[in-house]
């Protein structure tokens, strides 16, 4: 029978934790099963599976807990097609079944109380139900009444079915942390035989303790396992037996323990299972003491138990094979007890319902529960608060750079976190969500009757993508249709051949570059289609490959989820489709702000719904000393966030247990007109208040008491009933994952203005390297125009690769040309006549090269003054100043090492009057001073050169002759001179020229040769330490020196053999040398003179090699006869 609608209702009570309540199945794989599993109610249903496998139709839902309490429970299952309402004791759980089918196809009978054998694997050897049922109704039929009147076939019923509910009454005992139950047993007996059932949530506790005649017996729960300790001390010998069995026995279920111990034998069994039985045959001699303590032992003894108390319940207690008479204990005639509750088990499942949100795993003890939030993306006592930022915009304003990030647009809302690509550009933050459709996917064989439908799946769910597009300022998605004899939109009847499906499963008949309601492509919008009769290139039905491409920008329709292609079935027709990633920028939620201008102004919203868990987060800035951020009231309940003083933020609430206030004290004033972030959370476990990620306080909720926050008034933002109103700005106010639209409400509220200015006071520190923070309505941006850097925070290196002969020229005094662009005029005015006579320079550059010599930077003037940064022939770095007053330029040897080693190096140099400071790489700055005879003014600065000098005015001919050819070969970056970035300007000009743009004719920068943008001069590597003082006698072979007493250990004794061989060779060589010396001396016995020619200026730079000094000599023929020596 195929059933589209079911209503099943029944009531049951039982003391068993397992058992099938009802079951039905069909030949097609359909089934429905309701059963108890670990005292929870499990409903499994399958309405049939499709051709891909049975697992697709299976649906499993669990509800309830501790249903083996021998109380009546009511169950109702209502199904209509795939929608199911599953109700237990008035609590309804709604779900939708998996699969594709709507009918429950049952070929066999529907059984209650058990599962008859059908030969299908769904049975699985499950237990039948043991207990009572009543009021069984199935689709209007009273099954209980029909069975009683024998209107049903009961031949398959088991014999122990009756129509009365027999009380299988147990007598549980409840223990708290101060309880114990003392029971008598047999004294002076050689066998201990005890058993009981227990249930608890605690991993540890004392279950049973007994003082034997000559020792102790302990049964404890340790880390969820049963552990037995038997200690016997006699005059002859000490006996000790330890047994361990079971695991995770603190799951709240009833577990049975049985122990038998006698001479040289002990056996422990848990839950009556043979596999759990643990035996010991260690030497043992037992004599019972006659008294047993259960659930606690607080007396002093020579060997005290490892645990002192137990929280939980026990029943079915056996002492020395005799059932304990708890009725007699209750009357006081047998045993003793303290603080126990008889005939009840006050166990509570604190994880049902599960207060751990977002998939957090609940773990409980007898008194409390905790949540494990690992791997969920949330934290807090109930896994309520997201650990991720809501958008790429938020990551940028934490100072992050472009990367892949986890975002959570609705915070603590139902949407989980997901990964996106964040691209932080200079003025926008782009969020990119990728899809799985390969580019240029080929489509053939489709027609209007049988379209090919391509599914576009994204790296996140449609709800998550929708959250991005909803809050974004702009979204776009590239879509491209390449065609050959495949029409796109144009059809005789108006319905296009191809369409796409967007958000909300709605079909759209426009293409990229067009808009909603306009059935055109991009070429149709600007009248550029290849055939003017059509509005798409592909609609011309050409036999050559054509293309219609463009951006879809109506964000309410995005993203593209399907594309249906319908004209590729003709001979020779083919199409290729590309759907690009979804790209959005902006986050209206993050910048949604309102300014409160009067103390009596406020915004009001609907009542805040945060009964069991509430989180509130926002940014504020103010110069006022106090003010209420928000407030919501109930009868007695309330919630309020307030700035109480310039350094104190308060979070107060009342859920019926009395007012609670949390305060955070800041070390610095919060009314400094900068943005500060407040986060407050309240749940049934704790309350938390945090300010600026630095100051945090929390308070645990009371173990007993009210937990629900019940409010009824409107939510007031900016005031509390008109008192202590807030003056300032509030931004990004989010409550339980929902951002309140402050801007829209502020537009219709007097005393409150939409938006808030002044972001640079808080975020300006992120603009690095001299970048200027510029205010925007919804944030800020870093202006990098006057820096040598690019990027959203002016941290991206701008560098260029120089080939031989490439140079960059920056003229500080260009001739003004009418009609020049604004940028050109700004650059021109940076160093105009008032500034061309300099007493201060700031120079920054980074370079990497493997060739020397080279001129890195040369600044010329209209006089003989100049500044040069050069690499000499040996790769060492030198800075030269010629400001007049000296016979020779003032030269500074910055470093003696070879810096032409292919690694990047940074130079930071500044001069003020005579003081010069130079820093190389990460080493401390070195200070130098111009001689007193030197002028301090750099007169008439004219041109700056990079890489090579090509100057028609006054230059240093010696410098040019030695270092200007063939020119710098390598990379330069981060080049800046007194606020001018010449290399950045040159690269921009090169990019404009490549893009065929037409900049203004007047530009202070020009270049020659091939200039290619590169970043190879960025991030200097770790290099060897600089010498603290120049070495006057540098060695060409720096590896010649070897540390003393350093021995290189080579395995297998190679050292000794090498030493012997080396010694022999040394003796032979020494003998030959001595012979040669003797012969030479004999042949050249006359007294000789030779000429030395020490280069002029070699004393100025002792580190320069002798060869270099000779090369630089003006007159190599000069002979000094005073230098005569003997040749030996």
């Amino acid at each position: 029978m195929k059933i589209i609608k079911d209503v099943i209702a029944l009531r049951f009570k039982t003391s068993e934790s397992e058992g099938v309540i009802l079951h039905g199945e069909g030949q097609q794989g359909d089934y429905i099963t309701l059963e108890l599993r670990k005292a929870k109610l499990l409903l499994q249903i399958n309405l049939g599976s499709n051709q891909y496998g049975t697992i697709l139709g299976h649906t499993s839902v669990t509800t309830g807990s501790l249903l083996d309490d021998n109380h009546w429970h009511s169950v109702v299952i209502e199904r209509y097609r795939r929608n199911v309402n599953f109700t237990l004791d008035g609590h309804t759980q709604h779900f939708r079944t998996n699969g594709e089918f709507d009918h429950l196809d049952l070929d066999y009978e529907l059984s209650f109380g058990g599962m008859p054998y059908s030969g299908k694997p769904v049975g699985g050897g499950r237990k039948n139900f043991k207990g009572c049922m009543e009021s069984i109704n199935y689709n209007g039929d009273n099954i209980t009444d029909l069975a009683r009147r024998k209107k049903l076939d009961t031949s398959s019923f088991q014999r122990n079915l009756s129509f009365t509910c027999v009380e299988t009454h147990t007598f549980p005992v409840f223990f708290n942390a101060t309880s114990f139950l003392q029971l008598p047993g047999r004294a002076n007996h050689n066998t201990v035989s005890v058993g009981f059932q227990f249930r608890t949530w605690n991993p540890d506790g004392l279950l049973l303790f007994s003082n034997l005649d000559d020792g102790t017996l302990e049964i404890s729960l340790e880390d969820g396992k049963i552990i037995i300790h038997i200690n016997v001390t006699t005059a002859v010998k000490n006996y000790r037996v330890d047994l361990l069995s079971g695991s995770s026995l603190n799951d709240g279920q009833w577990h049975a323990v049985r122990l038998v111990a006698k001479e040289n034998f002990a056996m422990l069994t848990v839950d009556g299972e043979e596999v759990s039985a643990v035996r010991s045959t260690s030497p043992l001699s037992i004599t019972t003491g006659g008294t047993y303590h259960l659930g606690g032992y607080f007396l002093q003894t020579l060997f005290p138990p490892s645990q002192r108390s137990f929280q939980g319940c026990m029943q079915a207690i056996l002492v020395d094979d005799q059932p304990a008479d708890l009725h007699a204990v209750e009357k006081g005639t047998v045993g003793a007890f303290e603080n126990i509750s008889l005939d009840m088990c006050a166990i509570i499942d604190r994880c049902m319902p599960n207060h751990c949100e977002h998939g957090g795993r609940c773990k409980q003890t007898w008194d409390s529960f905790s949540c494990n939030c690992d791997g969920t993306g949330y934290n807090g006592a109930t896994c309520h608060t997201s650990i991720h930022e809501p958008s790429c915009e938020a990551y940028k304003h934490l100072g992050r750079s472009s990367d892949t990030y986890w975002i959570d647009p609705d915070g603590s809302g139902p949407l989980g976190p997901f990964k996106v690509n964040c691209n932080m550009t200079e003025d926008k933050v782009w969020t990119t969500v990728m899809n799985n459709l390969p580019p240029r996917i080929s489509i053939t064989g489709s027609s209007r009757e049988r379209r090919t439908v391509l599914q576009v799946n994204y790296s996140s769910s449609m709800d998550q993508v929708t959250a991005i597009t909803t809050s974004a300022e702009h979204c776009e998605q590239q879509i491209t249709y390449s065609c050959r004899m495949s029409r796109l939109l144009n059809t005789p009847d108006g319905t296009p051949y191809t369409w796409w499906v967007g958000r909300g499963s709605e079909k759209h008949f426009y293409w990229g570059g067009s808009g909603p309601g306009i059935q055109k492509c991009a070429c149709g919008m600007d009248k550029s289609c290849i055939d003017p009769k059509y509005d798409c290139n592909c609609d011309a039905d050409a036999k050559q490959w054509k293309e219609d491409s463009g951006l879809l920008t109506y964000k309410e329709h995005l993203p593209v989820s399907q594309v249906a292609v319908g004209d590729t079935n003709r001979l020779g027709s083919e199409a290729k489709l590309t759907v690009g990633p979804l790209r959005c920028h902006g986050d209206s939620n993050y910048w949604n702000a309102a300014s409160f201008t009067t103390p009596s102004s406020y915004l009001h919203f609907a009542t805040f719904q945060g009964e069991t868990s509430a989180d509130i987060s926002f940014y504020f800035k103010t110069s006022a000393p106090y003010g209420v951020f928000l407030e919501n009231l109930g009868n007695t309940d309330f919630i309020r966030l307030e700035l109480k003083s310039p350094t104190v933020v308060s979070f107060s609430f009342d859920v019926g247990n009395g007012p609670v206030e949390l305060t955070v004290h800041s070390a610095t004033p919060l009314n400094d007109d900068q943005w500060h972030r407040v986060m407050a959370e309240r749940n049934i476990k704790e309350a938390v208040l945090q300010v600026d990620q630095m100051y945090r306080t929390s308070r645990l909720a009371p173990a007993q008491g009210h937990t629900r926050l019940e409010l009824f008034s409107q939510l007031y933002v900016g005031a509390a009933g008109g008192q202590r109103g807030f003056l300032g700005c509030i931004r990004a106010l989010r409550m339980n994952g929902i951002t309140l639209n402050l801007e829209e409400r502020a537009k219709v509220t007097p005393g409150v203005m939409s938006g808030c200015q002044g972001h640079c006071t808080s975020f300006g520190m992120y603009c690095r390297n001299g970048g200027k923070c510029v205010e925007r309505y919804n944030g800020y941006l870093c202006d990098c125009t006057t820096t040598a850097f690019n990027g959203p925070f002016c941290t991206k290196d701008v560098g260029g690769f120089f080939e031989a002969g490439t140079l960059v020229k920056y003229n500080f005094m260009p001739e003004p040309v009418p009609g020049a662009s604004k940028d050109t005029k700004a650059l021109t005015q940076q160093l105009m006549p008032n500034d061309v006579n300099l007493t201060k320079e700031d120079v920054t550059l980074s370079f990497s090269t493997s060739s020397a010599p080279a001129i890195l930077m040369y600044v010329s003037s209209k006089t003989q003054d100049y500044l040069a940064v050069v690499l000499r022939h040996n790769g060492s770095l030198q800075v030269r100043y010629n400001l007049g007053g000296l016979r020779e330029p003032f030269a500074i040897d910055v470093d003696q090492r070879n810096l032409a080693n292919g690694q990047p190096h940074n130079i930071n140099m500044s001069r003020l009057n005579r003081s010069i400071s130079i820093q190389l790489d990460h080493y401390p700055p070195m200070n130098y001073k111009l001689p007193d005879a030197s002028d301090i003014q750099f007169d008439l600065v004219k041109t700056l050169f990079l890489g090579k000098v090509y100057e028609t005015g006054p230059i240093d001919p010696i410098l040019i002759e030695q270092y200007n050819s063939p020119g710098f070969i390598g990379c330069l970056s981060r080049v800046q001179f007194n606020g001018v970035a010449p290399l950045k300007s040159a690269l921009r000009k090169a990019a404009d020229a490549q893009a065929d743009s037409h900049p203004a004719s007047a530009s202070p920068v020009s270049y020659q040769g091939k200039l290619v943008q590169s970043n190879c001069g960025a991030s200097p590597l770790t290099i060897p330490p600089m010498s603290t003082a120049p070495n006057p006698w540098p060695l060409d072979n720096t590896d010649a020196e070897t540390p003393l007493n350093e021995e290189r250990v080579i395995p297998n004794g190679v050292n000794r053999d090498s030493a012997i061989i080396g010694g022999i060779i040394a003796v032979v060589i020494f003998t030959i040398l001595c012979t040669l010396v003797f012969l030479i001396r004999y042949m050249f016995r006359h007294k000789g003179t030779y000429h030395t020619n020490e280069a002029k200026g070699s004393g100025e730079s002792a580190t320069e090699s002798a060869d270099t000094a000779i090369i630089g000599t003006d007159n190599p023929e000069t002979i000094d006869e005073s230098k005569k020596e003997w040749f030996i």
Side-chain angles (χ1 to χ4, degrees), residues 14-18 38-39 66-70 127 170-175 196-201 248-257 270-273 310 312-317 343-347 366:
T14 182
S15 57
E16 299 290 324
S17 60
E18 308 278 338
K38 290 189 175 181
L66 305 176
L67 300 177
D68 56 347
D69 56 0
N70 215 33
K127 292 182 180 180
T170 57
F171 203 95
V173 183
F174 169 65
F175 298 87
F196 53 84
Q197 295 179 11
F198 76 94
R199 73 190 314 175
T200 185
W201 298 115
S248 302
L249 301 178
N250 58 323
D251 58 358
Q253 306 299 311
W254 285 110
H255 296 284
V257 178
V270 176
D271 289 333
E273 298 174 355
F310 170 70
C313 303
M314 290 189 190
Q315 67 181 16
I317 302 172
D343 200 16
M344 68 168 291
C345 181
I347 186 171
W366 194 266

Side-chain angles (χ1 to χ4, degrees), residues 5 24 74 84 145 169 171 192 251 285 343 517 585 591 610 625 638 724 799 807 879 1031 1047 1095 1100 1105:
K5 179 180 179 181
S74 173
V84 181
D145 184 59
H169 191 61
F171 203 95
V192 171
D251 58 358
S285 176
D343 200 16
H585 70 74
W591 296 110
F638 71 90
R724 293 176 65 88
L807 68 88
V879 175
N1031 180 5
E1047 181 175 334
E1100 296 177 6
S1105 66

Side-chain angles (χ1 to χ4, degrees), residues 183-184 186 193-195 258 317-325:
L183 295 175
R186 289 181 297 191
S193 178
V194 294
R258 188 84 168 91
I317 302 172
L318 291 173
V319 176
D320 291 334
D321 290 330
Q322 297 297 318
D325 189 354

Side-chain angles (χ1 to χ4, degrees), residues 563-634:
V563 180
V565 180
D567 186 26
T568 60
N569 64 330
R570 293 175 293 159
L571 183 64
S573 66
E574 186 181 0
K576 296 180 187 292
L577 177 71
T578 300
V579 178
L582 176 72
R583 300 176 72 243
C584 298
H585 70 74
D587 182 2
S588 58
N589 290 337
Y590 188 76
W591 296 110
N592 194 300
S595 303
F596 298 84
T597 57
T598 64
S600 59
S601 59
Y602 61 87
L603 301 176
H604 59 87
F605 295 89
T607 305
F608 176 46
Q609 304 296 326
E611 285 80 3
T612 57
S613 61
D615 75 281
I616 304 168
S617 66
F618 59 89
Y619 295 84
F620 78 92
K621 71 171 186 171
T622 183
S623 55
Y626 59 82
V628 175
F629 298 123
L630 59 89
E631 181 184 69
N632 207 160
L633 304 175

Side-chain angles (χ1 to χ4, degrees), residues 849-863:
T849 184
S850 298
S851 61
I855 295 179
L856 301 178
M857 175 187 287
Y858 186 95
V859 183
S860 69
S861 68
K862 291 189 175 182
T863 65

Side-chain angles (χ1 to χ4, degrees), residues 299-507:
L299 303 177
Q300 297 298 320
T301 181
L302 188 60
F303 299 103
S306 59
Q307 312 282 337
R308 281 293 185 179
S309 63
F310 170 70
Q311 283 182 295
C313 303
M314 290 189 190
Q315 67 181 16
I317 302 172
L318 291 173
V319 176
D320 291 334
D321 290 330
Q322 297 297 318
D325 189 354
L326 297 179
H327 290 285
V329 172
E330 187 177 23
K331 295 176 183 177
T333 58
V334 174
F337 61 86
E338 185 172 332
N339 294 335
I340 65 172
S341 300
L342 296 169
D343 200 16
M344 68 168 291
C345 181
I347 186 171
I348 300 173
D349 190 345
R350 301 181 187 276
C351 289
M352 186 61 67
N354 186 4
H355 293 289
C356 301
E357 303 176 43
H358 302 109
R361 294 169 294 283
C362 183
K363 185 179 180 181
Q364 62 183 315
T365 62
W366 194 266
D367 297 320
S368 65
F369 74 93
S370 60
C371 297
N372 183 351
C373 308
D374 293 345
T376 64
Y378 298 84
N379 62 11
T382 59
C383 310
H384 178 78
T385 305
S386 178
I387 63 176
H388 304 292
E389 294 298 322
S391 64
C392 292
E393 189 88 16
Y395 279 111
K396 177 189 174 179
H397 293 90
L398 291 176
R400 305 287 182 86
S401 56
S402 299
D403 205 343
T404 300
Y405 294 100
W406 288 90
I407 66 170
D408 194 345
D410 70 338
S412 61
L415 293 180
F418 55 99
K419 272 187 175 182
V420 297
N421 296 322
C422 298
N423 183 19
M424 320 293 188
T425 64
E426 283 82 353
D427 57 343
K428 293 182 178 66
V429 181
W430 287 95
T431 303
T432 304
V433 184
M434 307 302 294
N435 62 58
N436 68 338
L437 194 69
R440 295 185 60 82
I441 186 170
S442 181
I443 304 124
T444 56
S446 63
S447 64
R448 294 180 64 188
E449 292 74 25
R450 294 194 53 153
R451 287 180 171 84
T452 298
V453 179
L454 299 175
Q455 191 73 31
V456 186
N457 297 314
Y458 292 84
S459 55
S460 49
S461 71
M462 192 57 64
D463 289 338
Q464 291 170 329
V465 176
T466 301
I468 294 177
T469 58
T470 301
S471 63
E473 296 176 3
H474 168 83
C475 289
E476 62 185 38
Q477 193 165 12
Q478 183 81 22
I479 189 165
T480 303
Y481 190 80
S482 302
C483 55
R484 184 175 62 186
M485 293 180 61
S486 176
R487 292 158 293 183
L488 182 59
L489 297 182
N490 182 59
T491 58
D493 61 359
T495 304
Y497 290 100
T498 297
W499 64 68
W500 58 276
V501 178
R503 192 169 81 197
S505 300
E506 185 180 355
K507 295 178 182 178

